């Protein structure tokens, strides 16, 4: 993700990241439709970026020792729940794009 633009594994990593974010956004859009909420792909895309960011920090936290006494996976679950709840609440109050 952070290497030089021409590095092979950087482009492969970015492609994997884009696929993961797209899959999360698709799941959010699917769940919004199931709840009768409007489709807002841009909001789903931004929420998926936040979810990846939380996951990335949870993984890196294991090697840093940051936030001792807190279980990274428990914190990650709470962060994802917060993002998802906020996404759906925003859809419910904003209406169609």
């Amino acid at each position: 993700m952070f290497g030089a633009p021409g590095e092979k594994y950087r482009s492969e990593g970015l492609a994997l990241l884009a696929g993961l974010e797209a899959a999360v956004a698709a799941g959010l859009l699917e769940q919004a439709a199931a709840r009768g909420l409007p489709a807002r792909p841009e909001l789903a895309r931004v929420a998926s970026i936040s979810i990846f960011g939380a996951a990335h920090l949870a993984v890196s936290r294991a090697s840093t020792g940051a936030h001792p006494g807190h279980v990274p996976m428990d914190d990650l679950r709470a962060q994802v729940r917060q993002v998802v709840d906020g996404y759906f609440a925003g859809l419910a109050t904003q209406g169609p794009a």
Side-chain angles (χ1 to χ4, degrees):
M1 242 175 31
F2 304 109
E7 289 184 14
K8 173 186 176 186
Y9 296 113
R10 179 176 186 264
S11 61
E12 290 178 5
L14 290 174
L16 287 170
L17 173 58
L20 173 63
E21 288 176 351
V24 170
L28 290 170
L29 289 168
E30 180 181 313
Q31 287 300 307
R35 290 174 164 90
L37 296 168
R40 300 289 301 269
E42 184 61 15
L43 294 181
R45 183 190 70 81
V46 172
S48 74
I49 292 169
S50 297
I51 290 169
F52 170 76
H56 180 77
L57 289 174
V59 169
S60 65
R61 200 168 97 184
S63 67
T64 66
H67 307 286
H70 296 274
V71 179
M73 287 307 297
D74 291 344
D75 287 353
L76 177 59
R77 283 184 195 94
Q79 288 174 310
V80 169
R81 171 58 40 214
Q82 189 173 44
V83 170
V84 170
D85 287 350
Y87 166 74
F88 290 130
L91 291 180
T93 61
Q94 291 180 6

